[in-house]
Amino acid sequence: MTEREAVADWIYILDPKRDTLDGEPSDREAIRRLAEEEPGLELWLSRRNRMKQGERLWFFFTHPEPAVAAVAEVDQEPWNDPDAPDIPYLVGATLLPGATKALYRDPVGPDELGLGQVRSVQKVKPEALPVLLARAGL
């Protein structure tokens, strides 16, 4: 198995009007600020994805203009929190400050990603990965 087969890249959808982080809207500015000040995150998942440590989450913001404008690395595989029965699964991730800042300045739009129907979490299409990596400076 090659390293590229072992590591997946995921699109994680954020709707700033609906999704919050500590009660604050999860807009591009808030995520960019978190990348600099407090990059560790626990993110909600509706189902258990096969994410592994070291994989990347590319944050696709739905508003004001849809685009990927941040990236994080998965710290641990998704888990179920028995103390939070209303949240099916969580995944730990750390925002990458330099790459997030680069994407914030030059986001990747849906046309460049080849996204059709947008779901909460989905794998990055192979043809979109070079664009994401280049824009993020990775």
Side-chain angles (χ1 to χ4, degrees), residues 2-84:
T2 68
E3 182 180 333
R4 194 68 242 144
E5 290 171 331
V7 177
D9 287 84
W10 302 85
I11 298 286
Y12 187 93
I13 310 297
L14 282 174
D15 181 346
K17 294 180 176 181
R18 188 190 72 206
D19 301 320
T20 62
L21 295 168
D22 294 330
E24 298 294 323
S26 57
D27 60 18
R28 294 179 196 185
E29 181 62 33
I31 298 296
R32 186 202 54 78
R33 191 172 49 253
L34 279 175
E36 297 288 328
E37 298 170 3
E38 196 176 334
L41 301 172
E42 284 186 358
L43 302 165
W44 177 87
L45 296 170
S46 61
R47 61 185 176 88
R48 188 179 201 99
N49 296 84
R50 292 187 176 99
M51 293 175 185
K52 298 178 190 152
Q53 184 175 0
E55 295 182 337
R56 287 180 291 251
L57 296 175
W58 300 88
F59 292 91
F60 182 87
F61 297 85
T62 59
H63 297 287
E65 292 181 24
V68 169
V71 63
E73 188 171 288
V74 174
D75 296 330
Q76 60 190 105
E77 293 183 19
W79 72 92
N80 180 275
D81 183 354
D83 295 330

Coordinates of all heavy atoms in Angstrom, one line a residue, residues 2-84:
T2 N 0.6 2.2 -0.9 CA 1.4 3.4 -0.9 C 0.9 4.4 0.1 O -0.2 4.2 0.6 CB 1.3 4.1 -2.3 OG1 0.0 4.6 -2.5 CG2 1.7 3.1 -3.4
E3 N 1.7 5.4 0.4 CA 1.3 6.4 1.4 C 0.0 7.1 0.9 O -0.9 7.4 1.7 CB 2.4 7.4 1.6 CG 2.1 8.5 2.6 CD 3.2 9.5 2.7 OE1 4.4 9.2 2.5 OE2 2.9 10.6 3.1
R4 N -0.1 7.4 -0.4 CA -1.3 8.1 -0.9 C -2.6 7.2 -0.7 O -3.6 7.8 -0.4 CB -1.1 8.5 -2.3 CG -2.1 9.4 -2.8 CD -1.9 10.8 -2.2 NE -3.1 11.2 -1.5 CZ -3.1 11.9 -0.4 NH1 -2.0 12.3 0.2 NH2 -4.2 12.2 0.3
E5 N -2.4 5.9 -0.8 CA -3.6 5.1 -0.5 C -3.9 5.0 0.9 O -5.1 4.9 1.3 CB -3.3 3.6 -1.0 CG -3.2 3.5 -2.5 CD -2.7 2.2 -3.0 OE1 -1.9 1.5 -2.2 OE2 -3.1 1.8 -4.1
A6 N -2.9 5.1 1.8 CA -3.1 5.0 3.2 C -3.8 6.3 3.8 O -4.4 6.2 4.9 CB -1.8 4.7 3.9
V7 N -3.6 7.4 3.2 CA -4.1 8.7 3.7 C -5.2 9.3 2.8 O -5.0 9.4 1.6 CB -2.9 9.7 3.8 CG1 -3.4 11.1 4.3 CG2 -1.8 9.2 4.7
A8 N -6.3 9.6 3.4 CA -7.4 10.2 2.6 C -7.5 11.7 2.9 O -7.1 12.1 3.9 CB -8.7 9.4 2.9
D9 N -8.1 12.4 2.0 CA -8.5 13.8 2.1 C -10.0 13.9 2.1 O -10.6 13.3 1.3 CB -7.9 14.6 1.0 CG -6.4 14.8 1.2 OD1 -5.6 13.9 0.8 OD2 -5.9 15.8 1.8
W10 N -10.6 14.7 3.0 CA -12.0 14.8 3.2 C -12.5 16.2 3.1 O -11.8 17.1 3.5 CB -12.4 14.3 4.6 CG -12.0 12.9 4.9 CD1 -10.8 12.5 5.4 CD2 -12.8 11.7 4.7 NE1 -10.8 11.1 5.5 CE2 -12.0 10.6 5.1 CE3 -14.1 11.5 4.3 CZ2 -12.5 9.3 5.1 CZ3 -14.6 10.2 4.3 CH2 -13.8 9.1 4.7
I11 N -13.6 16.4 2.5 CA -14.3 17.7 2.5 C -15.2 17.7 3.7 O -16.1 16.8 3.8 CB -15.1 17.9 1.2 CG1 -14.2 17.9 -0.1 CG2 -15.9 19.2 1.3 CD1 -13.4 19.2 -0.2
Y12 N -15.1 18.7 4.5 CA -16.0 18.8 5.7 C -16.8 20.1 5.5 O -16.2 21.2 5.4 CB -15.1 19.0 7.0 CG -15.9 18.9 8.2 CD1 -16.1 17.7 8.9 CD2 -16.4 20.1 8.8 CE1 -16.9 17.7 10.1 CE2 -17.2 20.1 10.0 CZ -17.4 18.9 10.6 OH -18.1 18.8 11.8
I13 N -18.1 20.0 5.4 CA -19.0 21.1 5.0 C -19.3 21.9 6.3 O -19.8 21.3 7.3 CB -20.3 20.6 4.4 CG1 -20.0 19.6 3.2 CG2 -21.2 21.8 3.9 CD1 -19.2 20.2 2.1
L14 N -19.2 23.2 6.2 CA -19.6 24.1 7.3 C -20.6 25.1 6.8 O -20.3 25.8 5.8 CB -18.4 24.9 7.9 CG -17.5 24.1 8.9 CD1 -16.2 24.9 9.2 CD2 -18.2 23.7 10.1
D15 N -21.7 25.2 7.4 CA -22.7 26.3 7.1 C -22.6 27.3 8.2 O -23.2 27.0 9.3 CB -24.1 25.7 7.0 CG -25.1 26.7 6.6 OD1 -24.9 27.9 6.7 OD2 -26.2 26.3 6.3
P16 N -22.0 28.4 8.0 CA -21.8 29.4 9.1 C -23.1 29.9 9.7 O -23.2 30.3 10.8 CB -21.1 30.6 8.4 CG -20.4 30.0 7.3 CD -21.3 28.9 6.8
K17 N -24.2 29.8 9.0 CA -25.5 30.2 9.5 C -26.1 29.1 10.4 O -27.0 29.4 11.3 CB -26.5 30.4 8.3 CG -26.2 31.6 7.5 CD -27.2 31.7 6.4 CE -26.9 32.9 5.5 NZ -27.9 33.1 4.5
R18 N -25.6 27.9 10.3 CA -26.2 26.8 11.1 C -25.2 26.2 12.1 O -25.5 25.8 13.2 CB -26.7 25.7 10.2 CG -27.5 24.6 10.9 CD -27.8 23.5 10.0 NE -26.6 22.8 9.8 CZ -26.3 22.0 8.7 NH1 -27.2 21.9 7.8 NH2 -25.1 21.4 8.5
D19 N -23.9 26.0 11.6 CA -22.9 25.3 12.4 C -22.2 26.3 13.3 O -21.8 27.4 12.8 CB -21.9 24.6 11.5 CG -22.6 23.6 10.6 OD1 -23.4 22.9 11.1 OD2 -22.2 23.5 9.4
T20 N -22.0 26.0 14.6 CA -21.3 26.9 15.5 C -20.1 26.1 16.1 O -20.1 24.9 16.2 CB -22.2 27.4 16.6 OG1 -22.7 26.3 17.3 CG2 -23.4 28.2 16.0
L21 N -19.2 26.9 16.6 CA -18.0 26.5 17.4 C -18.1 27.3 18.7 O -17.9 28.5 18.7 CB -16.7 26.7 16.7 CG -16.5 25.9 15.4 CD1 -15.3 26.3 14.6 CD2 -16.4 24.4 15.7
D22 N -18.3 26.6 19.8 CA -18.5 27.3 21.1 C -19.5 28.4 21.0 O -19.3 29.5 21.6 CB -17.1 27.8 21.6 CG -16.1 26.7 21.9 OD1 -16.6 25.6 22.3 OD2 -14.9 26.9 21.7
G23 N -20.6 28.2 20.3 CA -21.6 29.2 20.2 C -21.4 30.3 19.2 O -22.3 31.1 19.0
E24 N -20.3 30.3 18.6 CA -20.0 31.4 17.6 C -20.2 30.8 16.2 O -19.9 29.6 16.0 CB -18.5 31.9 17.8 CG -18.3 32.5 19.1 CD -19.0 33.8 19.3 OE1 -19.2 34.6 18.3 OE2 -19.5 34.0 20.4
P25 N -20.6 31.6 15.2 CA -20.7 31.1 13.9 C -19.4 30.6 13.4 O -18.3 31.2 13.7 CB -21.1 32.4 13.1 CG -21.7 33.3 14.1 CD -21.0 33.0 15.4
S26 N -19.4 29.6 12.6 CA -18.2 28.9 12.1 C -17.9 29.5 10.7 O -17.8 28.8 9.7 CB -18.3 27.4 12.0 OG -19.4 27.1 11.2
D27 N -17.7 30.8 10.6 CA -17.4 31.4 9.3 C -15.9 31.4 9.0 O -15.1 31.0 9.9 CB -18.0 32.8 9.2 CG -17.4 33.8 10.3 OD1 -16.3 33.5 10.9 OD2 -18.0 34.8 10.5
R28 N -15.5 31.8 7.9 CA -14.1 31.8 7.4 C -13.2 32.5 8.4 O -12.1 32.1 8.7 CB -13.9 32.3 6.0 CG -14.6 31.5 5.0 CD -14.4 32.2 3.6 NE -15.4 31.6 2.7 CZ -15.4 31.9 1.4 NH1 -14.5 32.8 0.9 NH2 -16.3 31.4 0.6
E29 N -13.6 33.7 8.8 CA -12.8 34.5 9.7 C -12.6 33.8 11.0 O -11.5 33.8 11.6 CB -13.5 35.9 9.9 CG -12.7 36.8 10.8 CD -11.4 37.2 10.3 OE1 -11.2 37.3 9.0 OE2 -10.4 37.4 11.1
A30 N -13.7 33.2 11.6 CA -13.6 32.6 12.9 C -12.6 31.4 12.8 O -11.8 31.2 13.7 CB -14.9 32.1 13.4
I31 N -12.7 30.6 11.7 CA -11.8 29.4 11.6 C -10.4 29.9 11.4 O -9.4 29.3 11.9 CB -12.3 28.5 10.4 CG1 -13.7 28.0 10.7 CG2 -11.3 27.4 10.2 CD1 -13.8 27.1 11.9
R32 N -10.2 30.9 10.6 CA -8.8 31.5 10.4 C -8.2 31.9 11.7 O -7.1 31.6 12.0 CB -8.8 32.6 9.4 CG -7.4 33.1 9.0 CD -7.3 34.5 8.5 NE -7.9 35.5 9.4 CZ -7.4 36.0 10.5 NH1 -6.2 35.6 10.9 NH2 -8.0 36.9 11.2
R33 N -9.0 32.6 12.5 CA -8.6 33.1 13.8 C -8.2 31.9 14.7 O -7.2 31.8 15.4 CB -9.6 34.0 14.5 CG -9.2 34.7 15.7 CD -10.2 35.8 16.1 NE -11.5 35.3 16.3 CZ -12.5 35.6 15.4 NH1 -12.3 36.4 14.4 NH2 -13.7 35.1 15.6
L34 N -9.1 30.8 14.7 CA -8.8 29.6 15.5 C -7.5 28.9 15.1 O -6.8 28.4 16.0 CB -10.0 28.7 15.4 CG -11.2 28.9 16.3 CD1 -12.3 27.9 16.0 CD2 -10.9 28.9 17.8
A35 N -7.3 28.9 13.8 CA -6.0 28.3 13.3 C -4.8 28.9 14.0 O -3.8 28.3 14.3 CB -6.0 28.4 11.8
E36 N -4.9 30.2 14.2 CA -3.8 31.0 14.8 C -3.7 30.8 16.3 O -2.7 30.7 16.9 CB -3.8 32.5 14.4 CG -3.7 32.7 12.9 CD -2.3 32.5 12.4 OE1 -1.4 32.8 13.2 OE2 -2.2 32.1 11.2
E37 N -4.9 30.9 16.9 CA -5.0 31.0 18.4 C -5.3 29.7 19.1 O -4.8 29.5 20.2 CB -6.1 32.0 18.8 CG -5.8 33.4 18.2 CD -7.0 34.4 18.4 OE1 -8.0 34.0 18.9 OE2 -6.9 35.5 17.9
E38 N -6.1 28.9 18.6 CA -6.5 27.6 19.3 C -6.9 26.6 18.2 O -8.1 26.3 18.0 CB -7.7 28.0 20.2 CG -8.0 26.9 21.2 CD -9.2 27.4 22.1 OE1 -9.4 28.6 22.3 OE2 -9.8 26.5 22.6
P39 N -5.9 26.0 17.6 CA -6.1 25.2 16.4 C -6.8 23.8 16.7 O -7.3 23.2 15.7 CB -4.7 25.0 15.8 CG -3.8 25.2 16.9 CD -4.5 26.2 17.8
G40 N -6.8 23.3 17.9 CA -7.3 22.0 18.2 C -8.9 22.0 18.2 O -9.5 22.9 18.8
L41 N -9.5 21.1 17.5 CA -11.0 21.1 17.4 C -11.5 19.7 17.6 O -10.8 18.7 17.4 CB -11.4 21.4 15.9 CG -11.0 22.7 15.3 CD1 -11.3 22.8 13.8 CD2 -11.7 23.9 16.1
E42 N -12.7 19.6 18.1 CA -13.5 18.4 18.1 C -14.7 18.7 17.2 O -15.5 19.6 17.5 CB -13.9 18.0 19.5 CG -12.8 17.4 20.3 CD -13.3 16.9 21.7 OE1 -14.5 17.0 22.0 OE2 -12.5 16.3 22.4
L43 N -14.8 17.9 16.1 CA -15.9 18.2 15.2 C -16.9 17.1 15.2 O -16.6 15.9 15.4 CB -15.3 18.3 13.8 CG -14.2 19.4 13.6 CD1 -13.4 19.2 12.4 CD2 -14.8 20.8 13.7
W44 N -18.2 17.5 14.9 CA -19.3 16.6 14.9 C -19.4 15.9 13.6 O -19.2 16.5 12.5 CB -20.6 17.4 15.2 CG -21.8 16.7 15.1 CD1 -22.4 16.0 16.1 CD2 -22.7 16.6 14.0 NE1 -23.6 15.5 15.7 CE2 -23.8 15.8 14.4 CE3 -22.7 17.0 12.7 CZ2 -24.9 15.5 13.6 CZ3 -23.7 16.7 11.8 CH2 -24.8 15.9 12.3
L45 N -19.7 14.6 13.6 CA -20.0 13.8 12.4 C -21.3 13.1 12.5 O -21.7 12.6 13.6 CB -18.9 12.7 12.2 CG -17.5 13.2 12.0 CD1 -16.5 12.0 12.1 CD2 -17.3 13.8 10.7
S46 N -22.1 13.1 11.4 CA -23.4 12.5 11.5 C -23.3 10.9 11.4 O -24.2 10.2 11.9 CB -24.3 13.0 10.4 OG -23.7 12.7 9.1
R47 N -22.2 10.5 10.9 CA -21.9 9.0 10.8 C -20.5 8.8 11.0 O -19.6 9.7 10.8 CB -22.5 8.4 9.5 CG -21.8 8.9 8.3 CD -22.5 8.4 7.0 NE -22.0 8.9 5.8 CZ -20.9 8.4 5.2 NH1 -20.3 7.4 5.6 NH2 -20.5 9.0 4.1
R48 N -20.1 7.6 11.3 CA -18.7 7.2 11.5 C -18.0 7.1 10.2 O -18.2 6.1 9.5 CB -18.6 6.0 12.3 CG -17.2 5.7 12.8 CD -17.2 4.4 13.6 NE -16.0 4.4 14.4 CZ -15.9 4.7 15.7 NH1 -17.0 5.1 16.3 NH2 -14.8 4.6 16.4
N49 N -17.2 8.0 9.8 CA -16.4 7.9 8.6 C -15.1 7.2 8.9 O -14.7 7.1 10.0 CB -16.1 9.3 8.1 CG -17.3 10.1 7.7 OD1 -18.0 10.7 8.5 ND2 -17.6 10.0 6.4
R50 N -14.5 6.6 7.9 CA -13.2 5.9 8.1 C -12.0 6.8 8.1 O -11.0 6.5 7.4 CB -13.1 4.8 7.0 CG -14.2 3.7 7.2 CD -13.9 2.6 6.2 NE -14.9 1.6 6.4 CZ -16.0 1.4 5.7 NH1 -16.3 2.2 4.7 NH2 -16.8 0.4 5.9
M51 N -12.1 7.8 8.9 CA -11.0 8.8 8.9 C -9.9 8.2 9.8 O -10.2 7.5 10.8 CB -11.4 10.1 9.6 CG -12.4 10.8 8.7 SD -12.9 12.3 9.6 CE -14.1 12.9 8.4
K52 N -8.6 8.5 9.5 CA -7.5 8.0 10.2 C -6.6 9.2 10.6 O -6.6 10.2 10.0 CB -6.7 7.0 9.4 CG -7.4 5.8 9.0 CD -6.5 4.9 8.1 CE -7.3 3.8 7.5 NZ -6.8 3.4 6.3
Q53 N -5.8 9.0 11.7 CA -4.9 10.0 12.1 C -4.0 10.4 10.9 O -3.5 9.5 10.2 CB -4.0 9.5 13.3 CG -3.1 10.5 13.8 CD -2.4 10.0 15.0 OE1 -2.6 8.9 15.5 NE2 -1.5 10.8 15.6
G54 N -3.7 11.6 10.7 CA -2.8 12.1 9.7 C -3.6 12.5 8.4 O -3.0 13.1 7.5
E55 N -4.8 12.1 8.3 CA -5.6 12.5 7.1 C -6.0 14.0 7.2 O -5.9 14.6 8.3 CB -6.8 11.6 6.9 CG -6.4 10.2 6.6 CD -7.5 9.2 6.4 OE1 -8.7 9.5 6.8 OE2 -7.3 8.2 5.7
R56 N -6.4 14.6 6.1 CA -6.8 16.0 6.1 C -8.3 16.2 5.9 O -8.9 15.5 5.2 CB -6.0 16.7 5.0 CG -4.5 16.9 5.3 CD -3.9 17.6 4.1 NE -3.8 16.8 2.9 CZ -2.7 16.2 2.4 NH1 -1.6 16.4 3.0 NH2 -2.8 15.5 1.4
L57 N -8.7 17.3 6.6 CA -10.1 17.8 6.5 C -10.0 19.1 5.8 O -9.4 20.1 6.4 CB -10.8 17.9 7.8 CG -11.0 16.7 8.7 CD1 -11.6 17.1 10.0 CD2 -11.9 15.7 8.0
W58 N -10.6 19.3 4.7 CA -10.7 20.5 3.9 C -12.0 21.2 4.2 O -13.1 20.6 3.9 CB -10.5 20.3 2.4 CG -9.2 19.7 2.1 CD1 -8.9 18.3 2.1 CD2 -7.9 20.3 1.8 NE1 -7.6 18.1 1.8 CE2 -7.0 19.3 1.6 CE3 -7.6 21.7 1.7 CZ2 -5.6 19.6 1.3 CZ3 -6.3 22.0 1.4 CH2 -5.3 21.0 1.2
F59 N -12.1 22.4 4.8 CA -13.3 23.0 5.2 C -14.0 23.8 4.1 O -13.4 24.8 3.6 CB -13.1 23.9 6.4 CG -12.7 23.1 7.7 CD1 -11.4 22.9 8.0 CD2 -13.7 22.7 8.5 CE1 -11.1 22.2 9.1 CE2 -13.4 22.0 9.7 CZ -12.1 21.7 10.0
F60 N -15.1 23.3 3.7 CA -15.9 23.9 2.6 C -17.0 24.7 3.3 O -17.9 24.2 4.0 CB -16.6 22.8 1.7 CG -17.4 23.4 0.6 CD1 -16.7 23.7 -0.6 CD2 -18.7 23.6 0.7 CE1 -17.5 24.2 -1.7 CE2 -19.5 24.1 -0.3 CZ -18.8 24.4 -1.5
F61 N -16.9 26.1 3.1 CA -17.9 27.0 3.7 C -19.0 27.2 2.7 O -18.7 27.5 1.5 CB -17.2 28.3 4.1 CG -16.1 28.2 5.1 CD1 -14.8 27.8 4.8 CD2 -16.4 28.4 6.5 CE1 -13.9 27.6 5.8 CE2 -15.5 28.2 7.4 CZ -14.2 27.8 7.1
T62 N -20.2 27.1 3.1 CA -21.4 27.3 2.2 C -21.8 28.8 2.0 O -22.4 29.1 1.0 CB -22.6 26.5 2.7 OG1 -23.0 27.0 4.0 CG2 -22.3 25.0 2.8
H63 N -21.4 29.7 2.9 CA -21.7 31.1 2.8 C -20.6 31.9 3.2 O -19.7 31.5 4.0 CB -22.9 31.4 3.8 CG -24.2 30.7 3.5 ND1 -25.0 31.0 2.4 CD2 -24.8 29.7 4.1 CE1 -26.0 30.2 2.4 NE2 -25.9 29.4 3.4
P64 N -20.4 33.2 2.7 CA -21.3 33.8 1.7 C -21.1 33.3 0.3 O -22.1 33.2 -0.5 CB -20.9 35.3 1.8 CG -19.5 35.3 2.3 CD -19.3 34.0 3.1
E65 N -19.9 32.9 0.0 CA -19.7 32.2 -1.3 C -19.1 30.9 -1.0 O -18.2 30.7 -0.2 CB -18.7 33.0 -2.2 CG -19.3 34.4 -2.6 CD -18.3 35.1 -3.5 OE1 -17.4 34.5 -4.1 OE2 -18.4 36.4 -3.6
P66 N -19.6 29.8 -1.6 CA -19.1 28.5 -1.3 C -17.7 28.3 -1.8 O -17.3 28.6 -2.9 CB -20.1 27.6 -2.1 CG -20.9 28.4 -3.0 CD -20.7 29.8 -2.6
A67 N -16.8 27.8 -0.9 CA -15.4 27.5 -1.2 C -14.7 26.8 0.0 O -15.2 27.0 1.1 CB -14.7 28.9 -1.5
V68 N -13.6 26.2 -0.3 CA -12.8 25.6 0.7 C -11.8 26.7 1.1 O -11.2 27.3 0.3 CB -11.9 24.4 0.2 CG1 -10.8 24.0 1.2 CG2 -12.9 23.2 -0.1
A69 N -11.8 27.1 2.4 CA -11.0 28.2 2.9 C -10.2 27.8 4.2 O -9.8 28.7 4.9 CB -11.8 29.4 3.1
A70 N -10.1 26.5 4.5 CA -9.3 26.1 5.7 C -9.0 24.6 5.6 O -9.7 23.9 4.9 CB -10.1 26.4 7.0
V71 N -8.0 24.2 6.3 CA -7.6 22.8 6.3 C -7.1 22.4 7.7 O -6.5 23.2 8.4 CB -6.6 22.5 5.2 CG1 -5.3 23.2 5.4 CG2 -6.3 21.0 5.1
A72 N -7.4 21.2 8.1 CA -6.9 20.6 9.4 C -6.4 19.2 9.1 O -6.7 18.6 8.1 CB -8.1 20.6 10.4
E73 N -5.7 18.7 10.1 CA -5.2 17.3 10.1 C -5.9 16.5 11.2 O -6.1 17.0 12.3 CB -3.7 17.3 10.3 CG -3.1 15.9 10.1 CD -1.6 15.9 10.2 OE1 -1.0 16.4 9.2 OE2 -1.0 15.4 11.2
V74 N -6.4 15.3 10.8 CA -7.1 14.5 11.8 C -6.1 14.0 12.9 O -5.0 13.5 12.5 CB -7.8 13.3 11.1 CG1 -8.4 12.3 12.1 CG2 -8.8 13.8 10.1
D75 N -6.4 14.2 14.1 CA -5.6 13.8 15.2 C -5.9 12.4 15.7 O -5.1 11.7 16.3 CB -5.8 14.7 16.4 CG -5.3 16.1 16.1 OD1 -4.4 16.3 15.3 OD2 -5.8 17.1 16.7
Q76 N -7.2 12.0 15.6 CA -7.6 10.7 16.1 C -8.8 10.3 15.3 O -9.6 11.1 14.8 CB -7.8 10.6 17.6 CG -8.9 11.6 18.1 CD -8.9 11.7 19.6 OE1 -8.5 12.7 20.1 NE2 -9.4 10.7 20.3
E77 N -9.0 9.0 15.2 CA -10.2 8.4 14.5 C -11.5 8.8 15.2 O -11.5 9.1 16.4 CB -10.1 6.9 14.4 CG -8.9 6.5 13.6 CD -8.8 5.0 13.4 OE1 -9.8 4.3 13.7 OE2 -7.7 4.5 13.0
P78 N -12.6 8.9 14.4 CA -13.9 9.3 15.0 C -14.3 8.3 16.2 O -13.9 7.1 16.2 CB -14.8 9.1 13.9 CG -14.0 9.3 12.7 CD -12.7 8.7 13.0
W79 N -14.9 8.9 17.2 CA -15.4 8.2 18.3 C -16.8 8.6 18.7 O -17.2 9.7 18.3 CB -14.4 8.3 19.5 CG -14.5 9.7 20.1 CD1 -15.2 10.1 21.2 CD2 -13.7 10.9 19.8 NE1 -15.0 11.4 21.5 CE2 -14.1 11.9 20.7 CE3 -12.8 11.1 18.8 CZ2 -13.5 13.2 20.6 CZ3 -12.2 12.4 18.7 CH2 -12.6 13.4 19.6
N80 N -17.4 7.7 19.5 CA -18.7 8.0 20.0 C -18.6 8.5 21.5 O -17.8 7.9 22.2 CB -19.6 6.8 20.0 CG -21.0 7.0 20.6 OD1 -21.2 6.9 21.8 ND2 -21.9 7.3 19.7
D81 N -19.2 9.6 21.8 CA -19.1 10.2 23.2 C -20.4 9.8 23.9 O -21.5 10.4 23.7 CB -19.0 11.7 23.1 CG -18.8 12.4 24.4 OD1 -18.9 11.7 25.5 OD2 -18.6 13.6 24.5
P82 N -20.3 8.9 24.9 CA -21.5 8.4 25.6 C -22.1 9.6 26.4 O -23.3 9.5 26.8 CB -20.9 7.3 26.5 CG -19.5 7.4 26.5 CD -19.1 8.2 25.3
D83 N -21.3 10.6 26.7 CA -21.9 11.7 27.5 C -22.6 12.7 26.6 O -23.2 13.7 27.2 CB -20.7 12.4 28.3 CG -20.1 11.6 29.3 OD1 -20.8 10.7 29.8 OD2 -18.9 11.7 29.5
A84 N -22.6 12.5 25.3 CA -23.3 13.4 24.4 C -24.2 12.6 23.5 O -23.8 12.5 22.3 CB -22.3 14.3 23.6

